[in-house]
Amino acid sequence: MKSLHFLFLSLIAFFALTSCEEIQQKNVSPTEILADSTFDNHSYSNVQQIRTKHLHLDIDVNFDNKTIYGVARHEMVNNGTDTAIFDIKGLKIQKITIGKTKEKETSFMIGQWDKDSILGQPLLVKVDRTTKYVNIYYQTTDATEAIDWLSPELTAGKEFPYMYTQGEAILTRSWIPLQDSPANRITYSAKVKVPTDLMAVMSAENPTKKNDEGIYEFQMRQPIPCYLIAMAVGNLTYRKLGPSCGVYSEPQLIYQCVNEFGDLPKMIRAAEKLYGKYQWEQYDLIVLPYSFPFGGMENPRLTFVNPTLLAGDRSLVSVVAHELAHSWSGNLVTNSSWDDFWLNEGFTVYFENRIMESLYGKEISDMLALIEFQELQDEIKAIEAGDFPDDTKLKLSLAGRNPDDGMTDIAYTKGAFFLKTLEQEAGREKFDAFLNSYFKKYAFKTINTETFIAYLNSKLLEPNDLEFNTDEWIYEKGLPENCLKIVSPRFEQIKLLADRFAAGEDIFKKEIKWIKVKGRKKKKKQINQLTRDKYIAQEWQMFIRRLPKKIDPALMRNLDKHLNFKNWGNAEIMNEWYILGINSGYEDIRPNMEKFLLKVGRRKYIAPIYQELAKTPENLKWARGVFEKAKNNYHFISRNTVQELLYKKK
Ligand code: BES
Ligand code: ZN
């Protein structure tokens, strides 16, 4: 930190003499020296010296130019420094002032891009040692990665444009100039101007109706990390689902949304019963357009979800349980750096599974956990064979890399199985009491892995005289021996069925049944022995997984004839079916798969399909053709991932 301070002093002298353009021309690079700041490898900000405590955004959302214009007004706690450092990426800074009522323009300097352009640029602002208010006048650009601007054709209604933001992990800095580290918590307010036929919502207190002026005001009174600031603007409507929860979507989808998410009030009650009161007053969902790169994003008070969740049979609602669980793990207790990402996601997957168990029973929650556990085993193998084998540790070292690299099944599922194994060791009652106290103790705080370990030792392990291999789970690679094992009898059944089918048995053979007609006479009738509704979606998913990696296309055709996997409402199933189809040379899937790739932007689905296609030259060519047509339908996050998969330099 010392050298950082020294840098500031010399920069300040520099400020007085030169403009920021001149400094850029002279190739001054604060980047290397700023690397000394160790609190967060993914932010340039100097929050220990001066930090934002409240942000007020005053912005205009312009759909004609696909640009946000506005001011980010930072109310700061200044420990007596003369430089405030913010993160920016792809933003144009017009001017910066200091002061609340009387604003005075101040000088600023923009550092160089970091070498892989992951972090963006540091924005160094000259302040007085007593400065509390910094106002940054700015606009977004084409290089703003957080925002997806959609033309009307890409929406459900096809009449109005739409936009939404995605902040996690480090993209908020591309739509708001701020100190973009999860280690700092801020409250925020906003005044947002949008076209009068659209409505704006944020991760804050929200309107439920459009107004004639197109001006919306927002408040987030609880302190949150910046990656949770989010906004969506579109032709939106709202329906209540319970006393303090509801759903936003385009009017065309609202009926489906109300049906799909009808269990939300029950989920909230179950979550509160497990780990304490919901702290954010209101919990709403917004169903975004298909381009949304994730299944869900836990923006506080307003979870963003992908429309692929609208399966029609509530078979994907565990994603909602997951995002709801983040209202405790992640949003209340937050990872202080992206190396501690498992604290957000591992706890959330554990909690999600407990909510699912409360609502639908252990048989179901075990099946869901096993599906993820299989993925974890594959992921461990893939990571071990890749460039960063250390990534199978829970505690990561992502310095110099994109924090997105930490978004693997390790944080999610190894993290959750660590907690499941601990639960088994301590007993559920004690473990739940421990988690309850953990969420209370660290509510509205950011913590790292080490703080968690110390708390675990002092509150659970030592008082109960428990020995546990915590360090092995967290700091070592792979899966420890004592990992909890789940057995699902229903999955064992469906695997047998898959084996019989793969061995050539006609599992769809019709059965002859005698049925009564008019109470007396009996009539012979042929009944389909095996129909889709005999099993739930997760069982069919396991059925597909159990088949050999490559099977006779005739078998796949037969399955499609009876079950129509290639065009099922459940995207998890379609996704795995397409991958099996690519491997097996089953060409019938192409039209549906292409339609899927053109429509859906969720990275979890499209990336594995493109990756599989990239394995042979003919398929790669086809995949590139589809991608060129589809890429404008994707958010930057998915576009970028697929681009790398299809055009990676060898
Ligand atoms: N917070 C994550 C999404 C995320 C993580 C975005 C890291 C950017 C960087 C969200 O809660 C999540 O985990 N979504 C999952 C759903 C889930 C049920 C595992 C997804 O989108 O697949
Ligand atoms: Zn999550």
Side-chain angles (χ1 to χ4, degrees):
M1 274 333 276
K2 265 201 189 117
S3 58
L4 198 59
H5 192 70
F6 178 73
L7 167 80
F8 297 153
L9 292 176
S10 36
L11 285 173
I12 301 315
F14 221 45
F15 278 155
L17 301 169
T18 57
S19 73
C20 94
E21 285 81 17
E22 282 172 67
I23 291 170
Q24 275 182 313
Q25 276 163 17
K26 283 184 189 151
N27 237 357
V28 175
S29 162
T31 313
E32 289 152 43
I33 308 167
L34 286 175
D36 200 35
S37 148
T38 50
F39 82 100
D40 180 351
N41 291 312
H42 297 103
S43 170
Y44 290 115
S45 63
N46 57 336
V47 297
Q48 287 109 332
Q49 283 135 356
I50 183 167
R51 65 168 201 91
T52 303
K53 77 170 194 209
H54 182 83
L55 167 72
H56 178 73
L57 277 180
D58 193 346
I59 55 177
D60 190 343
V61 182
N62 186 315
F63 279 86
D64 297 330
N65 307 341
K66 297 187 173 172
T67 303
I68 289 180
Y69 301 89
V71 196
R73 299 183 184 278
H74 293 262
E75 182 184 345
M76 312 198 77
V77 181
N78 187 349
N79 296 331
T81 185
D82 41 26
T83 306
I85 310 181
F86 299 87
D87 295 290
I88 56 171
K89 188 173 189 187
L91 291 178
K92 223 184 239 168
I93 305 297
Q94 269 110 22
K95 69 169 181 184
I96 303 182
T97 65
I98 53 178
K100 193 176 182 189
T101 43
K102 266 202 207 138
E103 293 182 33
K104 179 180 96 186
E105 207 164 328
T106 187
S107 51
F108 64 91
M109 187 188 102
I110 296 171
Q112 275 194 327
W113 286 92
D114 66 292
K115 75 173 184 339
D116 296 316
S117 69
I118 295 165
L119 305 186
Q121 295 162 283
L123 167 66
L124 297 95
V125 181
K126 187 182 175 192
V127 297
D128 300 329
R129 288 176 195 282
T130 54
T131 298
K132 283 213 185 94
Y133 296 92
V134 177
N135 314 299
I136 308 175
Y137 291 72
Y138 75 101
Q139 69 178 72
T140 60
T141 71
D142 287 349
T144 288
E145 294 169 347
I147 304 183
D148 192 6
W149 297 97
L150 294 102
S151 54
E153 314 84 73
L154 297 174
T155 65
K158 317 225 177 294
E159 200 183 335
F160 300 98
Y162 202 108
M163 73 83 83
Y164 65 87
T165 66
Q166 166 61 37
E168 195 179 12
I170 54 168
L171 297 185
T172 306
R173 64 190 65 175
S174 78
W175 77 282
I176 311 170
L178 43 61
Q179 299 179 303
D180 198 5
S181 167
N184 188 34
R185 302 184 84 96
I186 66 171
T187 52
Y188 82 87
S189 50
K191 187 174 170 199
V192 180
K193 191 169 179 315
V194 302
T196 50
D197 44 10
L198 305 180
M199 180 161 116
V201 288
M202 292 190 82
S203 51
E205 231 171 283
N206 274 313
T208 54
K209 283 201 172 64
K210 275 184 200 161
N211 67 45
D212 295 340
E213 293 74 43
I215 295 175
Y216 297 89
E217 304 215 28
F218 301 92
Q219 289 282 348
M220 169 43 77
R221 291 188 177 84
Q222 288 98 329
I224 57 166
C226 292
Y227 71 84
L228 293 176
I229 303 175
M231 182 168 76
V233 181
N235 179 29
L236 299 175
T237 185
Y238 179 74
R239 282 288 186 299
K240 246 172 128 76
L241 293 169
S244 53
C245 63
V247 59
Y248 291 87
S249 78
E250 291 184 68
Q252 293 77 6
L253 295 179
I254 199 73
Y255 178 74
Q256 275 174 276
C257 293
V258 169
N259 276 330
E260 202 77 32
F261 305 126
D263 282 343
L264 185 57
K266 275 195 224 156
M267 281 189 178
I268 298 173
R269 257 178 273 138
E272 289 193 312
K273 200 162 163 231
L274 282 166
Y275 300 125
K277 197 173 161 16
Y278 178 74
Q279 300 281 342
W280 310 84
E281 297 155 13
Q282 183 73 19
Y283 183 82
D284 293 323
L285 300 169
I286 177 169
V287 177
L288 296 176
Y290 279 98
S291 66
F292 185 53
F294 299 111
M297 176 65 214
E298 66 272 25
N299 298 315
R301 298 181 68 118
L302 183 64
T303 282
F304 285 20
V305 298
N306 193 292
T308 53
L309 263 56
L310 301 172
D313 57 2
R314 302 190 178 184
S315 58
L316 295 174
V317 293
S318 64
V319 177
V320 174
H322 178 96
E323 305 313 333
L324 171 66
H326 270 305
S327 308
W328 287 258
S329 42
N331 298 5
L332 259 196
V333 183
T334 306
N335 56 209
S336 59
S337 85
W338 300 111
D339 287 347
D340 303 294
F341 182 55
W342 81 274
L343 288 179
N344 276 15
E345 297 299 342
F347 277 74
T348 300
V349 172
Y350 174 84
F351 192 172
E352 163 200 343
N353 204 241
R354 294 291 304 274
I355 296 173
M356 294 307 281
E357 183 185 326
S358 304
L359 262 76
Y360 309 108
K362 189 153 164 55
E363 202 178 46
I364 299 289
S365 61
D366 274 354
M367 286 196 262
L368 292 164
L370 269 175
I371 285 185
E372 288 167 349
F373 191 72
Q374 271 196 348
E375 290 162 16
L376 172 65
Q377 288 170 311
D378 293 344
E379 181 108 273
I380 289 178
K381 281 191 212 128
I383 295 176
E384 280 169 350
D387 294 339
F388 299 99
D390 278 355
D391 285 358
T392 66
K393 297 174 182 174
L394 283 177
K395 173 89 183 191
L396 297 169
S397 308
L398 294 168
R401 294 168 60 197
N402 193 325
D404 234 33
D405 291 1
M407 201 193 171
T408 70
D409 291 324
I410 300 299
Y412 287 80
T413 311
K414 183 181 171 183
F417 272 79
F418 165 55
L419 298 173
K420 277 175 180 285
T421 308
L422 258 174
E423 180 208 311
Q424 189 192 35
E425 201 60 34
R428 182 167 275 191
E429 209 179 307
K430 285 191 178 128
F431 192 64
D432 279 353
F434 164 72
L435 281 188
N436 253 295
S437 71
Y438 167 77
F439 288 126
K440 271 204 191 76
K441 162 102 177 160
Y442 295 108
F444 298 109
K445 301 222 157 54
T446 54
I447 66 164
N448 61 17
T449 300
E450 290 63 37
T451 303
F452 164 72
I453 294 175
Y455 194 71
L456 173 71
N457 286 336
S458 73
K459 296 288 179 207
L460 185 68
L461 300 182
E462 282 155 19
N464 294 299
D465 241 347
L466 293 172
E467 292 271 330
F468 198 79
N469 52 340
T470 311
D471 282 359
E472 180 187 354
W473 271 95
I474 291 177
Y475 297 111
E476 287 179 34
K477 290 188 269 190
L479 258 190
E481 272 294 308
N482 66 335
C483 182
L484 177 84
K485 313 238 168 349
I486 295 177
V487 183
S488 157
R490 278 171 66 176
F491 273 175
E492 292 312 309
Q493 279 284 320
I494 199 86
K495 284 185 197 165
L496 286 176
L497 184 70
D499 292 346
R500 281 166 41 208
F501 176 75
E505 189 180 322
D506 180 10
I507 57 172
F508 297 105
K509 201 169 59 200
K510 294 199 179 188
E511 203 184 356
I512 296 169
K513 276 223 168 121
W514 293 91
I515 53 165
K516 278 188 183 168
V517 178
K518 287 180 191 154
R520 288 192 152 204
K521 277 187 194 162
K522 284 179 181 171
K523 199 178 162 189
K524 227 172 26 171
K525 204 177 179 196
Q526 292 208 327
I527 308 272
N528 271 345
Q529 212 177 354
L530 177 62
T531 48
R532 190 202 270 201
D533 56 6
K534 287 256 161 45
Y535 296 98
I536 63 167
Q538 284 73 19
E539 288 169 295
W540 286 119
Q541 196 176 353
M542 190 50 75
F543 177 92
I544 296 172
R545 283 189 186 181
R546 178 69 174 190
L547 298 172
K549 291 268 165 290
K550 188 175 166 182
I551 64 170
D552 183 348
L555 287 181
M556 290 191 76
R557 196 165 297 119
N558 191 24
L559 282 172
D560 262 340
K561 187 174 121 203
H562 290 97
L563 302 168
N564 194 16
F565 284 144
K566 71 173 184 292
N567 199 16
W568 200 334
N570 183 303
E572 298 282 336
I573 290 190
M574 283 193 277
N575 184 52
E576 301 205 15
W577 188 244
Y578 294 152
I579 290 172
L580 181 66
I582 298 165
N583 277 323
S584 307
Y586 173 50
E587 292 301 319
D588 302 25
I589 48 157
R590 290 277 162 157
N592 295 82
M593 184 162 72
E594 178 169 3
K595 225 169 74 194
F596 184 85
L597 291 170
L598 286 170
K599 173 166 143 181
V600 177
R602 183 172 173 189
R603 183 168 66 175
K604 177 184 173 192
Y605 298 141
I606 62 174
I609 296 176
Y610 281 114
Q611 190 168 21
E612 210 53 51
L613 287 167
K615 288 181 182 165
T616 70
E618 311 84 69
N619 279 338
L620 177 61
K621 191 163 165 239
W622 186 82
R624 284 180 175 168
V626 175
F627 176 61
E628 290 310 318
K629 281 190 271 176
K631 66 183 182 192
N632 289 328
N633 308 356
Y634 301 156
H635 183 279
F636 162 82
I637 291 176
S638 293
R639 196 184 323 128
N640 193 40
T641 301
V642 176
Q643 180 86 30
E644 275 174 22
L645 287 170
L646 298 184
Y647 296 95
K648 65 181 158 218
K649 296 165 230 124
K650 288 255 161 72

